[in-house]
Amino acid sequence: METTVRNKKTLAEQTADRLTETIMNAEFKKGQQLPSEFQLAEKLDVGRGTIREAIKILISRHVVEIKRGTGTFVAEKPGQVEDPLGLAFIKDKKKLSMDLYEMRLMIEPQIASLAARRVTKEGMMKLEASLQAIEENIAKGMPWTDEDIAFHETIAEASGNQLASTLIPIIHSAVKVFAYLYGKPLTETTIATHREIMDAIRAKDPERAEIAMRNHLQRNKVYAEHLRETAGENA
Amino acid sequence: METTVRNKKTLAEQTADRLTETIMNAEFKKGQQLPSEFQLAEKLDVGRGTIREAIKILISRHVVEIKRGTGTFVAEKPGQVEDPLGLAFIKDKKKLSMDLYEMRLMIEPQIASLAARRVTKEGMMKLEASLQAIEENIAKGMPWTDEDIAFHETIAEASGNQLASTLIPIIHSAVKVFAYLYGKPLTETTIATHREIMDAIRAKDPERAEIAMRNHLQRNKVYAEHLRETAGENA
């Protein structure tokens, strides 16, 4: 059956599939530059025109991307578009902002709990580095939104659930773009609640990690609501 | 600031943005055919070449799609690609299958609980129709995977959380594509556990809805694991 389906595809599509496989096998790694058209044509034993067509297909599938003047690269997140959930098309951004918090409260405490169960030594080191990066930026008075996102992403990775590590960055990017005042809640509270989450994960205490994450999110949510109300309807 | 950014865009990009706005305002609805290039050019007061360029941009953003021989249509889910999470690029599909169940267990019981709190009369009618469609297909010995997905989607809609109604179809489509034996668990159990979820939502009992959904998913998960084990490593 696989063969029948495959035979209906053009040579360029077949070539695109073969290139996708090399990326899935990590022969070409995420973010890595692809070899030249000439080299790819030799490697896959097809013409350069076919390679060019195949690359176009992979661009449309967001598997590779062109960086002008440098070449073609494997995407950092192959197959993922910038706003994969199409949230830009949700019109009521105020409600979306609340929905994002509600979703985070559904999912992140449980992810923290899984992280406490499954975190590895390397994961723990990454988490500590990530927390330190936030605190350093806060101390220097610099923005720390991206470091904050990285902290939550690292917890999702530590959870060992691949869906979690795919979804959390997407949800957090959406929070950054669509929600009110991400990254501006009281910094002292943030430092304390982040530390509490990390300590619970280090102690491999799932319940404590879950509660710590819930507290952290609740505080941010309440703060965001408060700011929104004081800013009024037009904020 | 908005203006500065906008001025850096080409006329085609600006036109694409304006068309996107008309879609967001539901002037052009999801799935609807767009007016002709000529009409759009008149409406937006730009040349037909600009309209053509703008449409190309919107195709690459998955906002509109060409149906050969018929015309250009607003996408059913504007901005969303087929596999928005790029799950096809996760190599270990067996683990992905378990991760999908784990994620469903994190998120769907809470969504059911929200649905019990917030369901409207129309939502309840939709849910009943959706459950009936599953049972009819089961009775006729027909496949009912899509009806099953629709049932869980309807619950997500009833939850009132837009993230939930975006994510659930994505997760369920992934289950259909990547997980083992979706839609083949014991039909009698499925009928009973689905009914229990619906009754709890109708009774507006959040705790009972949460537990019913957890039971439903646990049973399916156990059954999928069992089938996988009996099928062996090569299944």
Side-chain angles (χ1 to χ4, degrees):
Chain A
M1 262 171 64
E2 183 67 22
T3 332
T4 327
V5 173
R6 195 165 267 191
N7 286 343
K8 282 185 192 161
K9 290 186 175 181
T10 66
L11 185 60
E13 281 168 335
Q14 290 176 41
T15 307
D17 288 350
R18 286 171 65 200
L19 277 171
T20 302
E21 267 170 45
T22 63
I23 291 167
M24 286 175 68
N25 295 335
E27 190 183 329
F28 301 145
K29 295 194 174 52
K30 291 169 190 177
Q32 186 188 314
Q33 183 164 14
L34 285 184
S36 69
E37 272 176 19
F38 180 76
Q39 287 167 312
L40 287 175
E42 284 231 312
K43 182 180 159 70
L44 300 176
D45 199 20
V46 292
R48 287 178 64 176
T50 306
I51 293 291
R52 252 194 303 275
E53 275 307 301
I55 297 281
K56 273 188 200 161
I57 292 170
L58 294 181
I59 290 171
S60 76
R61 291 182 189 160
H62 306 278
V63 175
V64 303
E65 54 199 16
I66 304 264
K67 292 186 188 167
R68 268 168 230 269
T70 14
T72 310
F73 291 76
V74 180
E76 283 296 338
K77 301 193 171 180
Q80 249 191 56
V81 297
E82 209 180 314
D83 173 24
L85 305 180
L87 299 182
F89 287 84
I90 293 182
K91 214 186 156 192
D92 187 346
K93 292 293 188 294
K94 189 175 269 185
K95 177 156 188 324
L96 176 58
S97 157
M98 295 320 294
D99 287 352
L100 281 162
Y101 269 110
E102 191 173 76
M103 181 54 73
R104 289 186 62 187
L105 270 161
M106 283 193 227
I107 188 176
E108 289 199 58
Q110 294 182 82
I111 289 174
S113 161
L114 289 177
R117 271 176 237 268
R118 297 176 185 160
V119 69
T120 60
K121 250 188 200 158
E122 296 75 45
M124 202 59 228
M125 276 164 61
K126 222 177 142 186
L127 198 56
E128 274 164 14
S130 155
L131 188 61
Q132 211 178 333
I134 300 175
E135 294 184 357
E136 278 170 16
N137 279 25
I138 289 178
K140 286 186 211 147
M142 283 164 60
W144 43 276
T145 311
D146 292 335
E147 287 71 20
D148 194 306
I149 294 179
F151 177 72
H152 289 271
E153 249 185 277
T154 309
I155 293 174
E157 276 168 31
S159 82
N161 185 305
Q162 299 163 98
L163 259 285
S165 35
T166 307
L167 278 178
I168 289 303
I170 292 173
I171 292 175
H172 279 256
S173 307
V175 171
K176 188 178 167 182
V177 175
F178 301 116
Y180 284 74
L181 299 154
Y182 186 99
K184 286 192 193 161
L186 303 164
T187 48
E188 274 173 40
T189 311
T190 300
I191 292 178
T193 54
H194 273 166
R195 282 228 159 262
E196 170 57 18
I197 296 165
M198 197 178 70
D199 290 345
I201 292 176
R202 189 191 292 113
K204 302 207 173 241
D205 185 337
E207 284 76 26
R208 201 177 127 205
E210 187 170 341
I211 292 165
M213 180 65 87
R214 184 163 290 125
N215 273 342
H216 171 62
L217 295 174
Q218 288 281 20
R219 267 165 209 259
N220 283 13
K221 184 173 172 239
V222 168
Y223 190 72
E225 277 165 2
H226 168 70
L227 280 173
R228 185 170 321 125
E229 274 159 27
T230 53
E233 282 297 314
N234 299 317
Chain B
M1 259 174 66
E2 184 66 23
T3 332
T4 326
V5 172
R6 194 164 267 190
N7 285 344
K8 283 185 191 161
K9 291 185 176 181
T10 66
L11 186 59
E13 282 168 336
Q14 289 175 40
T15 308
D17 289 350
R18 285 170 65 198
L19 278 170
T20 303
E21 266 170 46
T22 64
I23 292 167
M24 288 175 67
N25 295 334
E27 190 182 330
F28 301 144
K29 295 195 175 50
K30 290 167 190 179
Q32 185 189 317
Q33 183 164 13
L34 283 185
S36 69
E37 270 176 20
F38 180 77
Q39 287 167 312
L40 286 175
E42 283 231 312
K43 182 181 158 67
L44 299 177
D45 199 20
V46 292
R48 286 178 65 177
T50 305
I51 293 290
R52 253 194 303 276
E53 276 305 301
I55 297 279
K56 274 189 201 161
I57 292 169
L58 294 181
I59 290 170
S60 76
R61 291 182 189 160
H62 306 277
V63 175
V64 304
E65 55 200 14
I66 304 266
K67 291 185 188 168
R68 268 167 230 271
T70 14
T72 310
F73 291 77
V74 180
E76 282 296 338
K77 301 194 171 179
Q80 249 189 56
V81 296
E82 211 180 310
D83 172 24
L85 305 181
L87 299 181
F89 287 85
I90 292 182
K91 215 186 156 194
D92 187 346
K93 291 293 189 293
K94 189 174 268 185
K95 177 156 189 322
L96 176 57
S97 157
M98 297 318 295
D99 287 352
L100 281 162
Y101 270 109
E102 189 172 78
M103 180 54 73
R104 288 185 64 187
L105 270 161
M106 283 193 229
I107 187 175
E108 288 199 59
Q110 293 182 82
I111 289 173
S113 161
L114 288 178
R117 271 176 237 268
R118 297 176 186 161
V119 69
T120 61
K121 250 189 199 156
E122 296 76 42
M124 202 59 227
M125 278 164 61
K126 222 178 143 186
L127 197 58
E128 274 164 14
S130 154
L131 188 62
Q132 212 178 332
I134 300 175
E135 294 184 357
E136 278 171 14
N137 281 24
I138 288 178
K140 287 185 212 149
M142 283 165 59
W144 43 277
T145 310
D146 291 336
E147 287 72 18
D148 194 305
I149 295 180
F151 177 72
H152 288 272
E153 250 185 275
T154 309
I155 294 175
E157 274 169 32
S159 81
N161 185 304
Q162 298 165 99
L163 260 285
S165 35
T166 307
L167 277 178
I168 289 303
I170 293 173
I171 291 175
H172 278 256
S173 307
V175 171
K176 188 178 167 184
V177 176
F178 301 116
Y180 283 75
L181 299 155
Y182 186 97
K184 287 191 192 161
L186 303 163
T187 48
E188 276 173 40
T189 310
T190 300
I191 292 178
T193 55
H194 273 166
R195 283 227 160 264
E196 171 57 17
I197 296 166
M198 197 179 69
D199 290 345
I201 292 175
R202 190 191 291 112
K204 303 209 171 235
D205 186 336
E207 283 77 26
R208 202 175 127 205
E210 186 171 340
I211 291 165
M213 179 64 87
R214 183 163 290 125
N215 273 343
H216 171 62
L217 295 174
Q218 288 280 18
R219 267 166 208 259
N220 283 14
K221 185 175 172 234
V222 168
Y223 189 72
E225 276 164 2
H226 169 71
L227 280 173
R228 186 172 318 126
E229 274 159 25
T230 54
E233 282 296 314
N234 299 317

